[in-house]
Amino acid sequence: MPAPVPQPLQPGDFYYTPEGYLVFTEQYHRRRGSCCQSGCRHCPWKFPAKAGSQGASGQK
């Protein structure tokens, strides 16, 4: 299976938190088409964050 081809970001694909972090939205994840299993804040597949991780999903 060939590697996925990166798609250009579209309006609504992300936003910046007050701390300056870039956060991908559910729209972006759905267009991407698969779960990266990182526990992303807006994951439409609801993959749980790993216990003890410092990822964005802990900031819901």
Side-chain angles (χ1 to χ4, degrees), residues 28 31 56:
Y28 170 78
R31 247 186 346 100

Side-chain angles (χ1 to χ4, degrees), residues 3-10 13-14 24 28 30-33:
V5 177
Q7 300 295 315
L9 292 175
Q10 297 178 359
D13 278 352
F14 69 94
F24 290 111
Y28 170 78
R30 287 200 183 276
R31 247 186 346 100
R32 184 171 182 258

Side-chain angles (χ1 to χ4, degrees), residues 1-3 7-8 12 14 18-20 23 26 28 31-32 35-36 39-40 43-44 47 49-51 56 59:
M1 178 179 213
Q7 300 295 315
F14 69 94
E19 297 83 16
V23 179
E26 183 175 342
Y28 170 78
R31 247 186 346 100
R32 184 171 182 258
C35 181
C36 64
C40 298
C43 180
F47 185 84
K50 293 177 184 157
Q59 301 173 0

Side-chain angles (χ1 to χ4, degrees), residues 13-25:
D13 278 352
F14 69 94
Y15 63 90
Y16 288 99
T17 66
E19 297 83 16
Y21 294 103
L22 183 138
V23 179
F24 290 111
T25 63

